[in-house]
Amino acid sequence: MSYNRDDIFNTSSSSIGSVVPSVDVTCLVSSLLSRSLSAPISQASDDDIDYENDEMYNYLGYDYEFDREPSTSLAQSTIINDMLSDDEDFFLASPIQPELSVNQPPSPLQLMESPPPGVSKHHSPKPQAFLKSPNKPPRSPQNRVNIGAPIISTSPTARIDFGSSPMAPGILLQNNNSPLDVPLNGNIVRHATSQKGMTYLQQTISQGSPETIASITQEIINSNAVHVLMADPHGNYIAQKLFRHTSEPLRVLMLQQVGTTLPQIACSTHGTRSIQAAIEYSQSFDSKDIIIQSLSTCLYELMTNQNAVHSVHKWLATWPMLCKPIFDVSLERSYDLAIDKHGCCVLQRVLNSSHTSAVIVIIHSLLEHFLGLTKHQYGNYVVQCVLKLDSVDLTEVHKLYVNNLVNLSYNKFSSNVVEKLFTNPNVSAVLRAAFVSEIANSNDLLRLVSHSFGNYVVQKAIDMAQGENATIFENRLRKHVTTLRETPGGNRIASKLDENLNGGSSYRAKRRR
């Protein structure tokens, strides 16, 4: 029995059920294919076809909007395979209607009207030859009919960028496009510690409503997993996001749950980032007090730890008026901090703070160690920091270096400090002249000139020498010019003497170490 496609369109939905069981599917498919293949395709090219008004094109499910991949449209081969697989639901589904006014729905008779002149009524275009009508309004999901393939909405507000479904207030939804294999609700911690889930949750928190963020935060708190996320390679990013976007009461609950473990978390590579975020976004006294009380239990260890020291720096920068515990430890362990690789950095930040009275006390605690710190690989940076301070009277510190400059000039680190003394504006002119004179009249002058570090001190002293000291340098070094030119450092000093004698600009040697 052959069955005409016109009869399908002209048959009401109530009578389809009685017609379909007697339909010979094979005959129907053969009829459709024969009509399609026998159509005079040569009468029109693909460019001349109005796909929007071609009912066969719309009936077969082709979508002439090009806002998604061809694979998301239902191709002709898929329709035929569904028909041959005894899928009777295909005949019960309404065909896709062309885009008409919502107030004037098309009737089956309108669909069967003759096509424009020159276009074959049953011409079937190539599945890959998609075109987009420039004047066609965008389709809405309500006007689309699902005939077997999932509908993917292209509306920018329909789903978040990562492919998830929209976030309803207080509800976490997932559709078929979600990248997660396991439902989100009840599995927040599991997803937060995985690469894919972490990325999905980050975007969910950034774009979600306050109710959604509260729901995620509450589940993590109820799972007693805040400390796990804060130190996890992936979870720490979720912890940072929550500290930034969640409400202050929930932020306090998170910190209360991990209060005593904050020092251990701060010592981990990933945990210190979470604590820095907690410090930055904590607003209430309760949240700040929890962090300060917890970190203060072992503050010296944190100040000398390569990871936790960053949390201490964040504390100093964010809460400058709540740093009394840090100042107390800096005073009690000033020397130990000054000779530590990470502690010296914290001590320098403390010395540069605006708490002048506390800074003076710390400097006095270091006075007896100043010459030793000047030679230390880390302590010399603390000494240089002290010498740059303008708000403190450093005369007592400067006097420590009198009659010690020659010995300090042989050391790699202390020679830097000696050079700074020559150019430091806080050093009085009388004391600076005494420093230059000590180098000019030293019995080790020639040895300093040829030394890999001492020659830089001599060059700086020659630059700063005036009057009698300049004459001493000229008289003592001029007769050894030939010998001086045999070493790189001596050659630079000999060139400097020539320039000074000729009235040229002084030679500024670049430090190479």
Side-chain angles (χ1 to χ4, degrees), residues 285-449:
F285 172 81
D286 292 336
S287 58
K288 295 177 182 179
D289 185 64
I290 293 172
I291 297 174
I292 292 175
Q293 293 296 332
S294 180
L295 296 182
S296 298
T297 56
C298 51
L299 193 51
Y300 172 76
E301 287 74 14
L302 299 181
M303 294 168 72
T304 56
N305 182 273
Q306 62 177 349
N307 296 318
V309 68
H310 299 292
S311 297
V312 178
H313 282 298
K314 192 69 174 180
W315 179 356
L316 283 166
T318 308
W319 303 331
M321 306 307 296
L322 301 175
C323 297
K324 186 178 183 302
I326 299 178
F327 280 90
D328 292 341
V329 175
S330 299
L331 177 60
E332 296 172 4
R333 308 292 296 271
S334 58
Y335 178 76
D336 295 329
L337 290 172
I339 62 175
D340 183 80
K341 179 179 181 180
H342 306 289
C344 72
C345 298
V346 178
L347 193 57
Q348 290 178 68
R349 186 182 284 270
V350 169
L351 292 172
N352 286 320
S353 67
S354 59
H355 301 277
T356 307
S357 57
V359 170
I360 294 175
V361 176
I362 294 174
I363 292 175
H364 278 282
S365 70
L366 291 172
L367 280 179
E368 60 179 320
H369 306 290
F370 245 73
L371 293 180
L373 292 175
T374 304
K375 294 182 179 181
H376 195 271
Q377 59 176 336
Y378 303 128
N380 80 91
Y381 295 109
V382 176
V383 172
Q384 293 183 51
C385 179
V386 171
L387 294 176
K388 294 178 182 178
L389 296 177
D390 298 326
S391 58
V392 181
D393 184 10
L394 300 174
T395 304
E396 209 174 333
V397 175
H398 298 155
K399 290 180 179 179
L400 294 174
Y401 293 97
V402 177
N403 300 324
N404 289 299
L405 295 184
V406 175
N407 292 332
L408 294 175
S409 299
Y410 290 115
N411 182 271
K412 175 181 180 179
F413 307 105
S414 59
S415 61
N416 281 310
V417 178
V418 174
E419 289 186 59
K420 296 294 191 303
L421 283 172
F422 290 144
T423 59
N424 195 321
N426 297 326
V427 178
S428 63
V430 176
L431 199 54
R432 183 181 295 108
F435 289 156
V436 175
S437 177
E438 181 178 342
I439 300 297
N441 293 287
S442 172
N443 295 329
D444 292 343
L445 180 59
L446 293 179
R447 183 185 173 194
L448 285 174
V449 168

Side-chain angles (χ1 to χ4, degrees), residues 129-157:
F130 296 99
L131 292 176
K132 186 171 182 178
S133 176
N135 300 322
K136 179 179 177 297
R139 285 195 182 200
S140 61
Q142 292 79 4
N143 292 336
R144 295 173 182 246
V145 179
N146 187 352
I147 57 175
I151 295 176
I152 304 176
S153 175
T154 58
S155 173
T157 59

